[in-house]
Amino acid sequence: MKGHLFNRRRFIKESSKAAAGIVLLPSLANHTQARTPPPRIRFSVIGINHAHIYGMTETIIKGGGELVSVYAKEPELIATFLKKYPQAKPARTSKEILRDPSVQLVLSGSIPADRAPLGIEVMQHGKDFLVDKPGVTTLEQMAEVRRVQKETRRSYTIFIERLESRTIPKAGALIKAGAIGKVIQTIGLGPHRMNPKNRPPWFFDKKYFGGIITDLGSHQFDQFIYFTGSTQVEIVSAQSGNLNHPQYPALEDFGDVMLKGDKGTGYLRVDWFSPDGLKSFGDSRLTILGTEGYIELRKTTDLSGRPGGDHLFLVNREENRYIDCSKEPLQFSELFINDIINRTETAITQEEVFLAAELGVRAQAEAKEIKLLTV
Amino acid sequence: MKGHLFNRRRFIKESSKAAAGIVLLPSLANHTQARTPPPRIRFSVIGINHAHIYGMTETIIKGGGELVSVYAKEPELIATFLKKYPQAKPARTSKEILRDPSVQLVLSGSIPADRAPLGIEVMQHGKDFLVDKPGVTTLEQMAEVRRVQKETRRSYTIFIERLESRTIPKAGALIKAGAIGKVIQTIGLGPHRMNPKNRPPWFFDKKYFGGIITDLGSHQFDQFIYFTGSTQVEIVSAQSGNLNHPQYPALEDFGDVMLKGDKGTGYLRVDWFSPDGLKSFGDSRLTILGTEGYIELRKTTDLSGRPGGDHLFLVNREENRYIDCSKEPLQFSELFINDIINRTETAITQEEVFLAAELGVRAQAEAKEIKLLTV
C-alpha cells in the first residue's frame, strides 16, 4: 500500500504538471498517448472503493493496456473516475463488463471482502484479474479462489508492494549475486497513517477489510517469501488488537506475526500509528539478514534526512554502502502484460501470490487478541 | 553487551593513551586517582572469564569504588587483570574475598552458568553482587537467586545495556514527558559479531552461556520492561537455532521472541551474524512505538553515515527530529554506589533486574528449535 500511495502521489503530481502544460499540447489524450506504448491488451475496472485503483489503472495503461470500461455500485465514484479517465465507458452492470469478450483483464479496488467473489467471477468469464491488496479476506475465500484459478488457469494477481517497488527487486538482485550470503530472516515493518476523516465506513470494520494482518501485512508476507525463498511456512505466532481506537470498536490498529519458513524465518509488524510529523504515510522498513551481511530498505522515508524514498543500505564483509534506488526501473507493468499475452509468469508467479495471501488470512485467523491495561 | 564492548573499546583506547603518557606522570595509580572521586565503598572481583569485567570494574571505580582484591580460577587471567589493576590484591580463593568483612560489593565476569551459584554465595555472605549478563542461565538458578535475595535483602544486579547507555535514559525521559504518547510496542535488535578466533571454549556451548535468547537477549527484555512498564509478561513465542555454524554444534547463532505484556507488546531478535564491513560489533537498534509517535535508537552505529553511536530519532505529531545522545550523562555508577550505601533502588530496581532475567530464561526454555533447509 505504501508503494501505492507513494506512486499515486507521484502520479498526481506528474499529471498536474501535464494538466498545467495542456495549453501547449493538442489534447490531454494525445499527450497521454505520446507517453504510452500502443495498447497491447484491453482491460476494464470493476470496483473503485479504494483510491489504489487509480495507481493500478495507471500502471496497466503504462504497460500497454487500453482502458475499455468501468463499473462501480457508487455513481459518485464512477463520476470521479471518468473525470480522470474519460476514455472509459461506464458500464450499467459488472456483468456487462464480464460478458465483453474483448476485455482480457479486470482490475478491482472494491471493498476488500468483495474482491475474491468478484475475482472468481472474472476468472470464470475467462479473464485475468488484478486486484488491490488484500486480495482475499478469509480462509474460505482463499480456498475457493485457489480452486477456481486451478480450474480456469486465469491469473489472480494481487497488486502488492513488490510489484511497484524500486528497492525490492534491487535487493533481490544483490542477494542473487551473493551480496549477503544465504538469507536467514526478514523483518518487515508496515506502519500507516490512519487519516480517519478521509476513510469510508468499511475501513473501520474488520469484516470488510479482513483484519490488519491480512490487509496491511500483505506486503510483508510476500517479501518474506520472496527473500527467503520459503515454500513451506509455519505461523509461529500472531497477535492483533485495537490498542488505541475505542471509538472504532471493529477496527484493528496493531498486529504482528512471527514466521518460520523452510528456508528462513520472519517477523512483521503492521499498525495505524504513523504520526503526522512523518513526511510519508509510514516509515516502511525491511531488514534482510543473511549469513554474510544484511540489507535495510527504508522504502518511503529516511529519518536520517535523505530526501524521498527508495533507500537501500548494504553491509557485508567488505563494505557498508548506501544505494539510491530512486532511479531503478519499474518493470511490473510490461512484464505483467507480457504474461497476460504469453500465459507466462515472469512478473510474479501465481503460487507466490497465493502463498503470501494465504499466510495473511491464516495468520489473521490464528491471531490472539491483544488487550492492554489502560493506564 | 553492545554498550560494554563499545565502552570497553573506548576505555582501552583511553587507557592506552594513559599508558603512553606514563613517562610524564608520577605513576599510573596517581593518574587514576586524579580522575576518580575518593572511594565510597570497597569492592572485589571474582571471575574474569569475560572481558566485560574490565568495563564493569572501571564503572565502579569511577562511581567511587575502591578495588580491594581479585580471584579467578585461571592464573593467566589474574595476571592480565593485575597488569591493569595493580592495586588489587590477588586472593588465593573466592572464600578469602567472601570472608573479607570490608568488601561490600563483588563483581563477576565468570562463565555465565557459574554466575548465579557465585551470586548466591556472595549474598549469603552479606555482600551485594554486580554481574555481567546473562546473570542467570536456567529457570532453577532464577528461582534460587530470587529466594536467597529475598532472604538476604542484598542486591543482585545484572549489568545490562540500559545501565551504561546514553540513549535509553534519554528516550525514557522523552517518553515520560509525553513525546510519543503511550508506549504500545518495542522492537529490539541485538546482532553481534562473533570473532570465533578470540572466543574461549565455553562461548561455543549453550550449557555454559545459557542459550542465545538468555544471553544476548538480556538487554532487549530489559528494554521491553523499561519502556512499556509491563510487570506481567507472556512469552507469546520464542525460537532459536544454529543456522550457519555446524562446526560448533552446541552454539546457537539466532533467536527471536514475541512478547505480550500487560502494558505493551514486544519483539526481539538476537544473532551472531554481524558482518565485518560494519563499523561496530553490531547494529543495535530499538524502535519504540507509541500512540502519538515513535523513537528509533541507533545505539552503536548509523548506516546513514553519522559517526559513532548514541543516535536517537524522534517522530511525533509535531516533528521528525534527530537527537545526538553522545554527550548525555552516564549516571549508573554514582546511583548504584549510592544505592549500596543507602539501601535504595535508584539505579534500577531489583524486581526489574529479576523480571528481565526471568523472561530470558523462560523464553529460552520455551524456544522451539529452528531447522532450515540447507540450500
Side-chain angles (χ1 to χ4, degrees):
Chain A
M1 173 194 272
K2 161 194 62 37
H4 275 199
L5 283 179
F6 196 64
N7 290 342
R8 185 156 58 88
R9 287 206 193 100
R10 195 186 290 157
F11 165 71
I12 288 166
K13 210 171 143 193
E14 282 171 11
S15 64
S16 309
K17 278 187 213 158
I22 198 167
V23 287
L24 300 173
L25 289 162
S27 79
L28 182 58
N30 284 359
H31 175 66
T32 303
Q33 276 175 3
R35 290 190 307 168
T36 54
R40 300 193 289 149
I41 62 156
R42 287 167 58 85
F43 78 100
S44 296
V45 166
I46 301 177
I48 46 189
N49 300 84
H50 199 296
H52 285 165
I53 192 67
Y54 286 94
M56 293 163 63
T57 301
E58 201 55 25
T59 297
I60 297 306
I61 290 174
K62 280 185 181 161
E66 180 183 355
L67 176 56
V68 176
S69 51
V70 58
Y71 174 74
K73 286 174 192 155
E74 306 80 2
E76 70 283 8
L77 295 179
I78 298 187
T80 309
F81 189 87
L82 289 175
K83 265 183 215 158
K84 186 149 202 72
Y85 297 109
Q87 71 267 45
K89 180 188 157 213
R92 276 158 303 177
T93 63
S94 59
K95 283 278 186 283
E96 194 179 309
I97 293 175
L98 294 174
R99 287 174 188 152
D100 179 345
S102 81
V103 171
Q104 294 154 273
L105 169 70
V106 171
L107 268 51
S108 183
S110 51
I111 293 170
D114 299 338
R115 292 170 186 173
L118 172 65
I120 286 168
E121 268 200 290
V122 167
M123 292 190 290
Q124 285 169 336
H125 283 80
K127 303 179 195 314
D128 294 315
F129 189 54
L130 178 68
V131 62
D132 184 23
K133 67 86 208 160
V136 298
T137 58
T138 65
L139 287 161
E140 294 70 26
Q141 286 189 351
M142 188 72 240
E144 192 62 6
V145 165
R146 268 196 192 271
R147 189 184 64 75
V148 175
Q149 192 281 327
K150 202 170 172 187
E151 214 170 77
T152 61
R153 309 312 298 168
R154 295 298 96 190
S155 166
Y156 190 105
T157 301
I158 302 168
F159 196 43
I160 32 76
E161 182 185 23
R162 173 168 36 130
L163 304 180
E164 49 178 348
S165 167
R166 295 176 198 275
T167 52
I168 294 170
K170 179 66 179 177
L174 287 166
I175 290 166
K176 206 170 170 187
I180 61 167
K182 190 176 68 179
V183 172
I184 292 170
Q185 197 221 22
T186 62
I187 296 182
L189 304 187
H192 284 70
R193 183 173 294 123
M194 196 164 165
N195 292 328
K197 286 177 192 164
N198 302 326
R199 299 286 185 177
W202 61 262
F203 176 89
F204 300 97
D205 193 336
K206 191 175 162 174
K207 76 167 176 283
Y208 295 115
F209 65 82
I212 193 168
I213 292 172
T214 291
D215 180 9
L216 301 186
S218 303
H219 312 299
Q220 285 74 26
F221 286 111
D222 171 68
Q223 287 158 39
F224 164 76
I225 292 169
Y226 176 65
F227 286 112
T228 67
S230 292
T231 57
Q232 302 293 321
V233 184
E234 179 192 337
I235 309 291
V236 178
S237 58
Q239 54 184 1
S240 62
N242 182 333
L243 306 188
N244 202 48
H245 295 91
Q247 68 274 43
Y248 308 120
L251 178 79
E252 288 186 325
D253 57 20
F254 180 93
D256 65 346
V257 182
M258 221 163 103
L259 298 165
K260 183 165 64 177
D262 51 355
K263 293 190 180 169
T265 64
Y267 171 75
L268 67 92
R269 187 197 83 195
V270 286
D271 66 77
W272 286 110
F273 288 106
S274 288
D276 288 343
L278 190 72
K279 290 182 191 91
S280 76
F281 75 87
D283 185 350
S284 184
R285 307 268 191 113
L286 183 72
T287 304
I288 310 160
L289 177 66
T291 51
E292 314 288 336
Y294 65 103
I295 287 173
E296 178 181 352
L297 304 183
R298 299 181 191 161
K299 301 170 188 172
T300 52
T301 195
D302 177 12
L303 296 189
S304 303
R306 283 183 178 78
D310 299 322
H311 308 287
L312 187 155
F313 297 86
L314 166 68
V315 191
N316 59 20
R317 288 185 175 179
E318 290 77 32
E319 58 181 348
N320 177 342
R321 181 155 64 111
Y322 168 70
I323 300 175
D324 175 4
C325 297
S326 64
K327 302 290 186 293
E328 291 292 315
L330 290 176
Q331 299 190 299
F332 171 73
S333 60
E334 192 182 340
L335 294 178
F336 182 65
I337 290 180
N338 292 348
D339 286 345
I340 287 178
I341 296 167
N342 305 326
R343 310 317 297 167
T344 48
E345 295 192 324
T346 62
I348 188 167
T349 71
Q350 186 61 71
E351 189 46 37
E352 284 179 294
V353 171
F354 282 165
L355 180 53
E358 187 170 296
L359 288 173
V361 287
R362 264 173 56 200
Q364 187 75 53
E366 294 175 20
K368 291 183 190 163
E369 192 185 352
I370 305 168
K371 288 268 186 206
L372 302 182
L373 283 182
T374 43
V375 198
Chain B
M1 172 195 269
K2 162 196 60 38
H4 274 199
L5 283 179
F6 196 64
N7 292 341
R8 184 155 59 90
R9 287 207 193 100
R10 194 186 291 159
F11 167 71
I12 288 165
K13 210 171 146 197
E14 281 171 11
S15 66
S16 308
K17 279 187 213 157
I22 198 167
V23 287
L24 301 171
L25 290 161
S27 79
L28 181 59
N30 284 358
H31 175 65
T32 303
Q33 277 173 3
R35 291 191 306 169
T36 54
R40 301 192 290 150
I41 61 156
R42 286 166 59 85
F43 78 99
S44 296
V45 166
I46 301 177
I48 46 189
N49 300 83
H50 199 295
H52 285 165
I53 192 66
Y54 287 94
M56 293 164 63
T57 300
E58 202 56 24
T59 296
I60 298 305
I61 290 173
K62 281 184 181 161
E66 181 182 356
L67 176 56
V68 176
S69 51
V70 58
Y71 174 73
K73 286 173 191 155
E74 306 79 1
E76 70 284 7
L77 295 179
I78 299 186
T80 310
F81 189 87
L82 290 174
K83 265 182 214 157
K84 182 147 207 74
Y85 297 110
Q87 71 268 44
K89 183 190 156 212
R92 275 157 303 177
T93 63
S94 59
K95 283 278 186 283
E96 196 180 307
I97 292 175
L98 294 174
R99 287 175 187 151
D100 178 346
S102 81
V103 171
Q104 293 154 273
L105 170 70
V106 171
L107 268 51
S108 183
S110 50
I111 292 170
D114 298 339
R115 292 171 186 173
L118 173 64
I120 287 168
E121 268 201 289
V122 167
M123 292 190 289
Q124 285 169 336
H125 282 81
K127 302 179 197 315
D128 294 315
F129 189 54
L130 178 68
V131 63
D132 184 24
K133 69 86 210 160
V136 299
T137 57
T138 65
L139 287 161
E140 296 70 28
Q141 285 188 352
M142 188 72 238
E144 192 63 6
V145 165
R146 270 197 191 268
R147 189 184 65 74
V148 174
Q149 193 281 327
K150 200 170 176 187
E151 211 171 80
T152 61
R153 310 309 301 169
R154 294 299 95 189
S155 165
Y156 190 104
T157 301
I158 302 167
F159 196 44
I160 32 77
E161 184 186 22
R162 174 171 32 133
L163 304 179
E164 50 177 348
S165 168
R166 297 176 197 274
T167 51
I168 294 170
K170 179 67 180 176
L174 287 167
I175 290 166
K176 207 172 169 184
I180 61 167
K182 191 176 68 179
V183 172
I184 293 170
Q185 198 221 23
T186 62
I187 295 181
L189 304 188
H192 283 71
R193 184 173 293 122
M194 197 165 164
N195 291 328
K197 285 176 191 163
N198 302 326
R199 300 286 185 175
W202 60 262
F203 175 90
F204 300 95
D205 193 336
K206 190 175 164 175
K207 75 168 179 280
Y208 295 115
F209 66 81
I212 194 169
I213 292 172
T214 292
D215 180 9
L216 300 186
S218 303
H219 311 300
Q220 283 75 27
F221 286 111
D222 172 68
Q223 288 157 40
F224 165 75
I225 293 169
Y226 176 65
F227 286 112
T228 67
S230 292
T231 57
Q232 302 292 323
V233 183
E234 180 193 335
I235 310 290
V236 177
S237 58
Q239 55 184 2
S240 62
N242 182 332
L243 306 189
N244 202 47
H245 294 92
Q247 69 273 42
Y248 309 120
L251 178 78
E252 287 185 325
D253 57 19
F254 181 94
D256 65 346
V257 182
M258 221 164 101
L259 298 166
K260 183 165 64 176
D262 50 356
K263 294 191 181 168
T265 64
Y267 172 76
L268 67 91
R269 187 197 83 196
V270 287
D271 66 77
W272 286 109
F273 287 106
S274 288
D276 288 343
L278 190 73
K279 291 184 189 89
S280 77
F281 75 87
D283 186 350
S284 185
R285 305 269 191 112
L286 183 72
T287 303
I288 310 160
L289 177 66
T291 51
E292 315 288 335
Y294 66 102
I295 287 173
E296 179 182 352
L297 304 182
R298 299 181 192 162
K299 301 170 188 172
T300 51
T301 194
D302 178 13
L303 296 190
S304 302
R306 284 184 177 79
D310 300 323
H311 308 288
L312 187 155
F313 297 85
L314 166 67
V315 191
N316 59 20
R317 288 186 175 180
E318 289 76 34
E319 57 181 349
N320 177 341
R321 180 155 65 111
Y322 168 70
I323 300 175
D324 174 4
C325 297
S326 65
K327 301 292 187 292
E328 291 292 315
L330 290 176
Q331 298 191 299
F332 171 73
S333 61
E334 191 182 340
L335 294 177
F336 182 65
I337 290 180
N338 292 349
D339 286 345
I340 288 177
I341 295 168
N342 306 326
R343 311 316 298 165
T344 48
E345 294 192 325
T346 62
I348 188 168
T349 71
Q350 186 62 71
E351 189 45 37
E352 284 180 293
V353 171
F354 282 165
L355 180 53
E358 189 170 293
L359 288 174
V361 287
R362 265 174 53 201
Q364 187 76 54
E366 295 175 19
K368 290 183 193 165
E369 192 184 354
I370 306 167
K371 287 270 184 203
L372 302 182
L373 284 182
T374 44
V375 199

